[in-house]
Amino acid sequence: MHSFEFMEPTTLAEALRLLATHEDDACVFAGGTALLLAMRQRMMVPEIVVSLGRLHDLRTIGWTPAGGLRIGALARHGDVARSELVQQHYPMLAGVAAGLANPQVRNQATIGGNLCYADPATDPPSCLIAMGAEVTIAGPDGERRIPMRTFSVDFFTTALEPGEILTGILLPPPDPQRLGHYRRHLRTAAEHRPVANVALTARRVGSAWDEVRLVVGAATPSPQSMTRAEAYLAGRAITLDVAAEAASLVAEELAPISDGRGDAAFRRQVVRAATRRIVAEAAGLDWKETAA
Amino acid sequence: MSGHKLSLVVNGERVEADVPSNRLLSEFLRDDLALTGTKRGCETGVCGACSVLVDGDVVKSCLSLAVQMNGREITTVEGLGRVGALHPLQQQFMEKGGLQCGYCTPGFLMAAVDLLKRNPNPDDAEIREGLSGNLCRCTGYQGIVDAIRSTAEAGHGA
Amino acid sequence: MTVSVVGQPMPQVSAQEKVQGRAVYAGDIKMAGMLHAKLLRSPHAHARILSIDTSAAEALPGVKVVVTGDDVPRRRWGVHHKQQNVLACGLVRFVGEEVAAVVATTEAVAQDALELIRIEYEELPAVLDIDAALSEGAVPVHPEGNVVDEINIARGDVEAGFAAADIVHEEVYTTHSQYPGYMEPMATVAATDGNGRLTVWTSTQSVFLARQRLAEALDRPISSIRVIQATVGGGFGAKIVEERSSVIAAFLATKVDRPVRLNLSRLDDIQSGCFSVPMRIRLKMGMTRDGTITAKDVTIEAECGAYAGLSPEVMLVTAMRSDNMQRLENVRSHARMIHTHTMPRGAFRGFGGTQMSFALNSHMSTMADMLGMDPFDLHRRNAIRTGDLSVHGWEIGSCGLPECLDQVSTALDWTARRARNTRCGVLRRGVGMAAVMHVSGNRTMGNWDGSTVVLKVNEDGRVVILTAESDMGQGANTMLTQICAQELGIPVSHVTVQAPDTDNSPYCLGSLASRVTINAGNAMLGAARQARSQILEAAAQKLGCEAADLTIADGVVHSGKNPNLFAPLPEICRYHIFRHGGEGILVRHTHDPKTVMMNKEHYGNIAPAYSFAAQALEVEVDTETGQVRVVETYLSDDCGKAINPLTVHGQSAGAAVQAVGWTLYEELQMEGGRVMNGNLADYTMPTAEAVPTMHSDIVETDEPNGPLGAKGASETAILPGAPAIANAVYDAIGVRITDLPITPEKILAALAAKEQPHA
């Protein structure tokens, strides 16, 4: 690995100042698991590495009934998974964090680092978008707050401006009527990263759903909201046929990527299957009985 | 480039060191401290042979910088147990065929320590999930799973 | 005799140091003044090297030497085909071929220097697969042409056999290349001493074959080189004779005259190409209505890549070994080994057996269906038996194949599960089985398959064993220890097996062809018995009785007739030395099995024993995503007497999982001869989560040629997995996959094709 200057600011202001001073020469280092790989493969060669490791405030996870959940950007996936607050109020997120990568990486990698790196082959972004998350971003001119769905932009690209630091993730207060389900699909059981994932949340209104959010991740350059299926599912009694139709709509709308773990056609097929299953599952139906 | 003063505890002993910023934790342990029980198998954070405990949590030392370790407490396989006072997991790995070539073994042991710390009575599926960050090509994992299960059953999980 | 040690499950003798992380692998060795090497590899599949400019690299502070093909000996090395130099000379023949090496004070400096080497290539047309290599006017990889080896074997009357058949089935199977995936990437430390002698510590399955190769490649006398085996982090065949990095490391040490360590990165290791030989196998078989095989006709095209290595020997196994598993009369094989401009392939656990096992067992199940027979019955009907002479002249001294078949079918509850399958629903289950055989020993390495053990008894009655058979994790040293301890009546902790060292160990071939238990085990038995009788003679003298009345148990020599006559072993061992004409107990025993080199027609009993195995398993196929999972598996291994059941089960489980990886998870992706997934994140070997509990059982036949009835156990178990899975997939969804690996895409495509048969 090339040599670089390693800086460990102790305040957010100092960190922002360092980024402002060194501009393009600097990069932000959180858990480091993805960044170190990129640096060792010389995909990234920053001269200055600004570690956020000493910004302990950014590791906390807090919850209030009115304000919802705030996860510091430096909370590790394991912290999120093991947080009683998250387990109690946002079990969908706790489950995603607990199943991410492997135990070692969950003890190292941070949720903020995950979002900022914007590698498509991961789970949190689609899950957070479906949960209606927002993110807070600190910059030279103060803090801004944007919806998670506008944060993930493209392959390895986010809405962060130069000199900005992601500071936290906000989740709205839990709604007892809101259901949430998540499915990650590995191409084979020996894979380490998802080839596709689907996140679904919706408000129960009687026997039907409202405010449906259906988001596909890992199969697309950045998470894709499946608007046609969302509209189709809203207000409808869910049957296996409805689940299958929603899956078809998703398969049509999806703009999948092709790579070594699966071409576009394969990803489309996998997402179709995962969508049918997640919709059926959320409605308490057994998807195993009939093939789509 | 710049050297960094490090003060940390490794296997119960205080260590002061001066390391360059681009030194990986795995390199620091193996090359600077001669703790070669921590192995390098893939350099891409997949095989888990370099797993160590940092403040009690298992991590991959090839995905960490040494400079991140200032003030931390590290346990490598050398700190787990010695002849006459082997860790129960070490004993069970031996007795249940949890190793053959031995190259992945230190990493599996560290992952198993973390696993049993969080879940003293795991079922087989939980054990296998807890090992998902480690690769072994010799044992087919059976001896490893058996060793961890029997360690837990003997009440050494906590 | 004391409590039996042989046959008892016991931890491996290396286990204690390994669980402490204290076993020393080559990459752990550090020497005073040691330098570090890095290799520059060809980016082209086929190119002429026009010029190499190393000046900028040499000028980098910390760089000691940069070498290229211009600096290496002209003498070429290889197993039978002498095709390689230490570094590529003038021409590169695959992406990844080593073209230059840097030695520097640190790995980082050496790595930086690589980027400063300027090479001008003239790219040449490349043949990247078998069809291209065989096409009209194809570019020859070597001047001799692209067919490097051809085998023709024929016995009986194949045409008459087909004429007598009630059913004939023909199919083409393709098998892909598997990365051995040992967890320790190749590593070597080499150093010259003040007398110019070269010592090499390396990860190898055979120190003597390594020395032979070094002598040839470095063009220096064999005895000027000493090879010492470091702890080996897995081999699986790739570390027998074909790997090249130890050769390069040794050469570099001679150039700088200082210790040099070369640790391959994982990408390096993958690019070096120690993958298995991919093959295309056309198989045609005829059977009578009752399932008797009347004829078998095989055509094989195999790809060895740029250099032949052991690939021709691998192909010979594919061409004929499985014929010996059944009572056949009419068989024919035609096999060709073909060069391409891709990484060299070669020896891999199973040594050509996995490829043919896939074809044969897929075929047997298909034909069983055609006949309306249970595949287990079809295998039983044709299975070779103890005492048979096979079609190729193999003398089957022990055969537990029928018992293996019985064990796995009972364990899986085969008949009931098979009947349960309804082929409906999204997730469908199916069962499959396969039966296999392997050799225990072989004479292909110079028509010799002997093994020598030197045994020293120290004055305290404890023992040191010298051998150059290699333990790479499979348990050879534990096996030797158990036999020795049992024969001498001492605890296993009193036996030490020294690491193989060409200066101090007796000549041995090393760990290949599952030969160590049967050959070294016999040598160990002989040496231990010789030492025992020497001890008893000395004790008889000292105690004034007949040696025949004495025995050793728990480290004490005592008389069976007179309870007052006894002496602790150390006392006798000291007595053996400290008397006029005395000496330490030092015995040597060589075991040379009474086998023959096969003749020109490939006929003859090549191995002292043959091992058998069977596997039955259940899979679940996700018909919407194409995912296949093995949900339950049972494997039975006929390994003769299981000297250490713990290691036999360990070998079975490990091999079975390696087979699952080959069949379902692992796939080398190449584009233009370049490896596209040269890392363990993208070349996905099975994780603990990706496999179920690996059930294994042992069939203990009594092998007459084996030490205490034992034969080889470590390779048979990798052979049945792929076809058992393919057969189970067929059972589950009615789709037969004939080209490995069985990927989700292939499952989905086959299901789609099945639904629209005319599309």
Side-chain angles (χ1 to χ4, degrees), chain A residues 1-6 29 31-33 36-37 40-41 54 76 82 98 101-104 106-108 192, chain B residues 1-2 4 21-22 24 43-44 46 51 57-60 62-64 67-68 114 118 129-130 132-134:
Chain A
M1 191 162 40
H2 72 290
S3 58
F4 50 83
E5 201 76 48
F6 187 80
F29 184 102
T33 51
L36 278 178
L37 285 183
R40 288 166 68 183
Q41 288 158 13
R54 291 193 185 177
R76 301 171 305 170
R82 292 188 287 267
N102 55 63
Q104 289 92 331
R106 294 197 291 271
N107 284 333
Q108 290 170 277
H192 304 274
Chain B
M1 213 179 264
S2 68
H4 286 254
S21 55
N22 60 356
L24 296 172
E43 303 113 357
T44 48
V46 177
S51 298
D57 293 338
V58 67
V59 305
K60 294 186 176 180
C62 80
L63 293 181
S64 305
V67 292
Q68 289 175 273
D114 184 278
R118 298 183 202 284
E129 199 287 326
S132 61
N134 296 73

Side-chain angles (χ1 to χ4, degrees), chain B residues 30-31 37 39 41 43 46-47 77 82-83 90 94 99-103 109 128-129 132 137-142, chain C residues 18-22 25 27-28 30 179-181 183 233-234 266 473 650-651 654 666 686 688-689 691 693-694:
Chain B
R30 287 179 53 82
D31 301 334
K39 298 301 182 198
E43 303 113 357
V46 177
C47 80
V77 70
R82 295 241 141 208
V83 178
Q90 290 174 312
M94 289 173 60
L99 66 143
Q100 288 174 28
C101 86
Y103 199 80
L109 284 165
R128 287 178 183 275
E129 199 287 326
S132 61
R137 194 61 150 175
C138 293
T139 64
Y141 303 102
Q142 197 52 51
Chain C
K18 285 175 176 173
V19 296
Q20 295 174 88
R22 294 176 70 182
Y25 301 80
D28 300 333
K30 220 174 186 176
Y179 178 52
M183 292 319 299
R266 185 57 71 177
Q651 286 296 309
E666 299 170 33
E689 279 189 297
V691 290
T693 299
M694 306 308 293

